[in-house]
Amino acid sequence: MPVTPVPTASMNAASPTSRAVFRSLAKAIGATNREADGLRHQALAASDDDALARRLTALDADDPDGDLGVEARLAVWFDDVDPDLDEMSPELASRLASIVGEGDGQD
């Protein structure tokens, strides 16, 4: 799968779990604001915000240029979450399912 460039605003963000950061990542793979907000809500409902923020900050430190792309960051968001993809377009659902599948077993 090709790597989607990480939006500049999402790199090394002061608040890596913020709504704006997540929206920029999700929109990079074709999500609408509504879909992005729903996905973020699912991830935060199933994850500890502080732990998630630490994992995202560590990824930024390991990948300062964003070479791993949006996919790696979204895989971290959904590392412990099985997102409900029923409410989104089939294209986005397929893309996110492949990203989440790629993230399985990675820390």
Side-chain angles (χ1 to χ4, degrees):
M1 172 184 282
V3 174
T4 305
V6 178
T8 304
S10 298
M11 293 296 302
N12 298 307
S15 180
T17 60
S18 74
R19 181 180 184 198
V21 168
F22 188 82
R23 273 187 173 185
S24 70
L25 293 172
K27 288 176 87 172
I29 64 162
T32 64
N33 284 340
R34 182 182 178 139
E35 290 168 330
D37 290 346
L39 287 167
R40 180 175 176 268
H41 178 74
Q42 288 178 50
L44 291 176
S47 301
D48 174 77
D49 187 53
D50 292 333
L52 178 58
R54 284 191 300 274
R55 290 194 314 262
L56 290 164
T57 301
L59 177 58
D60 281 342
D62 289 344
D63 183 31
D65 297 324
D67 294 335
L68 297 174
V70 166
E71 293 79 7
R73 279 140 183 88
L74 290 175
V76 169
W77 270 90
F78 292 99
D79 188 38
D80 298 323
V81 180
D82 184 18
D84 178 7
L85 306 176
D86 294 335
E87 296 296 318
M88 55 194 67
S89 71
E91 297 82 15
L92 178 60
S94 175
R95 184 119 189 242
L96 189 58
S98 69
I99 291 168
V100 171
E102 290 173 3
D104 287 349
Q106 295 180 10
D107 288 323

